[in-house]
Amino acid sequence: MAHQNLLVELFVEELPPKALRKLGQAFAGVLFEQLKAQGLASGESKLTSFASPRRLGAHITVVATHGADQAVSQKLMPVSVGLDASGNATPALLKKLQSLGADASAVAGLKRAMDGKAEALFYDSTVKGATLAEGLQKALNESLAKLPIPKVMTYQLADGWSDVKFVRPAHSLVAMHGSGVIPVEVLGLKAGNTTRGHRFEAPADPVRLKDADSYESALEQDGAVIASFEARRAEIVRQLTDAAARVGSARVIEDEALLDEVTALVERPNVLVCEFEKEFLEVPQECLILTMKANQKYFPLLDAAGKLTNKFLVVSNIRPADPSAVIGGNERVVRPRLADAKFFFDQDRRTTLASRVPGLTKVVYHNKLGTQFDRMQRVRWIGEAIANRLNAGLVANVQFAAEFAKTDLLTGMVGEFPELQGIMGRYYALNDKLPTEVADAIEDHYKPRFAGDELPRADVGLIVALADKLETLAGLFSIGQKPTGDKDPFALRRHALGVVRILMERDLPLDLGVLVDAAVREVKGLRAADAPWPLANDASEVRQLEDFIYERLAGSLREQGYSAQEVDAVLALRPQRLGDVAKRLAAVRAFAALPEAPALAAANKRIGNILKKAEKADAHVSEGLLKEEAEKALYAMTRKIAPQAGAQFEAGDFTGSLQTLAALRATVDAFFDGVMVNAEEADLRLNRLGLLATLHQAMNRIADLSRLAQ
């Protein structure tokens, strides 16, 4: 069985740049897995994928010309169906064998084996391994069928009659095993050993390949193309870094998505330095950076202090001897974009944010939740309620920030670049001479916008951000717009995680239940003083929203490395101060490491089960009703230990509190060994249940320790 390296390339018209990396990985990955499944590639084989604007390819080492023959045992049918009472083959069995290419002579060789509760007949045969041509054809078909194509197009083949569907029209196919061509065919194309290079700069056309291993070097030398996505990306990074160094005291702005997209747009990268007029630097740099990246795919340059310079880098797909025409063309193209940004900025500053507030009445937020003006009023009230609990001196600025937070939606700049909402609001607030705390809060109330994003920089921004997220959650939950499965069109999971992060990381002295209740109250229009508190009529709605936030918290904690048991134990108590959660988890982890922990967790679980099944017992003990020595000892130990653990709990020493409770292990074990809890005498039974209830309360203030029981 001969082994050589395999090359496959599909040459097409320009592929969608944002999808190219995934298309290249999927094309090569599925091809490789299919060849391995057929025994044509093995564990020794190595895959290299290629993806450029006009090609998808794969290079696979150690590929066999034939797959190995495989022994197959195939279930035919139950014995009772395949053989008659005399043990002869039934017509059904003979027909089945015939379909497999066997005849009656194979009956004697059939094997019997149990299949579930019935005995079945099995036919052993040898399946001949596929040839490389057969296996590659199957693998190619499967690879194209599974491509994550954003949108399929239909085009006509050269014969004028046949239509095929693919992401872009395909023009040629290469399939080489060593130096030989494999006779496969896809999309109306027959495999060959030639491809095409750079659309404008290829030294040779077509590019002829002598063997599978020469593909990458031949394409680069004769086709002026870097076929590997990763190699091309690395080359762009190298050139960007070198160009920035030549400019002096400058660095390239980091943007992985932009780098991927530009890599997908060029086959032969050539980084050039361009510049624009310095007068445009008067515009907020976020606007200039966004327009250069989003519209033109340019890389802005920042100085050592992180400020935008008037120079930028262009990744060109051509390398002319004199690049001045390319540089001048890009500078001419970017100038109108920057001029538009400057125009919007100058125009927007002529109107104050305060005068834009009435305009929010014309912006629909949701047809069931009113306008942005309605929403602003709800956020302002929730923010005021939070500020009054944290620091009443912040109320005025919180009200201002909430009132103006959405007004930049009415500006020309945000209308053109929605990504700048909040950012532009801050600039316009400073232009209106509003307090810096208010301006910062207008930008920060969207934070955290994604995983790992920073939190608002000051308390006013924290409060408005918290109010905004709570209003969004409460409002959309109230109209039944909860996330389902992987669908979350309003990003409610992200909003819930934002609430969690603000409360936990800033350790705010706010109860989650009170916050959720206030948000639901406001959304329901029940802010009046005589409205019920908490909202008894909406208890289920409040509970659902709390559950949703706790679910997001649980997921976040597990991602941070806490075990499911640790998270479950802490969140089972639904701690209201989320700032305490990390300390509770640390205490639970330290407790679980103690030798007493398993026995106490098991006892805690047993106590919980007893209390659930028993009649209602309060945490009260009459010392005179204690009869057994073991229950007297447990009562005495509880009276000694519980106050110590309680004092530590109140002081925030959760770890110390649980470690103090660990001293109860011996007396708890002795109690269950020597005392009958469910005594026949009612007063004894209730007293012992009261002792257990007292113990249960003391042990489960930090976490539900029973969740740690194996």
Side-chain angles (χ1 to χ4, degrees), residues 39-331:
L40 294 164
S42 66
E44 297 179 17
S45 303
K46 294 183 179 178
L47 170 68
T48 303
S49 66
F50 302 104
S52 82
R54 298 202 295 162
R55 72 199 73 239
L56 300 173
H59 181 271
I60 304 170
T61 64
V62 195
V63 177
T65 54
H66 287 82
D69 296 345
Q70 293 182 335
V72 177
S73 182
Q74 185 171 353
K75 177 187 171 184
L76 301 178
M77 58 190 65
V79 172
S80 59
V81 176
L83 301 176
D84 60 21
S86 302
N88 298 317
T90 63
L93 178 58
L94 294 174
K95 186 175 181 181
K96 181 67 174 177
L97 288 170
Q98 185 179 4
S99 71
L100 297 174
D103 55 25
S105 63
V107 174
L110 296 180
K111 291 183 178 179
R112 296 186 180 196
M114 294 302 295
D115 182 48
K117 296 182 179 180
E119 190 177 26
L121 293 170
F122 290 83
Y123 175 59
D124 291 343
S125 62
T126 300
V127 177
K128 191 170 180 61
T131 66
L132 179 55
E134 295 168 342
L136 182 57
Q137 184 66 65
K138 180 180 178 182
L140 271 171
N141 294 340
E142 192 73 12
S143 180
L144 296 186
K146 291 186 175 179
L147 276 182
I149 298 175
K151 190 175 182 181
V152 175
M153 66 181 296
T154 302
Y155 61 94
Q156 198 172 62
L157 297 180
D159 61 14
W161 296 97
S162 307
D163 288 342
V164 295
K165 293 182 178 181
F166 195 52
V167 60
R168 292 290 186 271
H171 294 298
S172 68
L173 174 68
V174 174
M176 299 185 70
H177 191 226
S179 59
V181 175
I182 308 301
V184 291
E185 183 178 344
V186 291
L187 302 175
L189 303 170
K190 293 183 178 180
N193 64 351
T194 61
T195 184
R196 305 285 296 276
H198 194 285
R199 190 181 286 277
F200 308 111
E201 299 187 346
D205 187 34
V207 177
R208 191 169 300 277
L209 307 173
K210 67 177 183 179
D211 55 41
D213 294 341
S214 65
Y215 172 73
E216 202 167 358
S217 59
L219 201 53
E220 186 165 3
Q221 292 171 12
D222 299 335
V225 169
I226 301 175
S228 166
F229 188 96
E230 301 305 327
R232 203 164 59 255
R233 191 179 193 273
E235 174 62 14
I236 292 172
V237 171
R238 185 192 68 78
Q239 290 191 36
L240 289 171
T241 304
D242 289 349
R246 290 198 305 272
V247 171
S249 68
R251 62 181 176 86
V252 184
I253 196 163
E254 295 181 7
D255 191 321
E256 296 298 313
L258 176 61
L259 186 56
D260 283 347
E261 189 173 359
V262 170
T263 303
L265 287 168
V266 299
E267 291 191 311
R268 192 188 192 198
N270 180 30
V271 174
L272 302 171
V273 179
C274 305
E275 64 179 60
F276 55 82
E277 291 77 3
K278 288 187 176 181
E279 65 186 68
F280 290 121
L281 293 176
E282 298 172 7
V283 179
Q285 70 178 41
E286 293 90 344
C287 309
L288 305 181
I289 290 171
L290 182 60
T291 192
M292 283 192 284
K293 292 198 307 182
N295 296 121
Q296 304 304 134
K297 314 306 175 191
Y298 296 157
F299 288 85
L301 287 174
L302 307 178
D303 63 18
K307 297 295 184 181
L308 183 68
T309 70
N310 70 318
K311 290 182 169 52
F312 61 95
L313 303 180
V314 173
V315 182
S316 173
N317 194 35
I318 56 176
R319 298 184 182 181
D322 179 8
S324 58
V326 179
I327 293 172
N330 282 283
E331 290 176 345

Side-chain angles (χ1 to χ4, degrees), residues 628 630 669-676:
E628 306 292 342
D669 289 346
F671 175 85
F672 280 117
D673 288 342
V675 178
M676 175 68 70

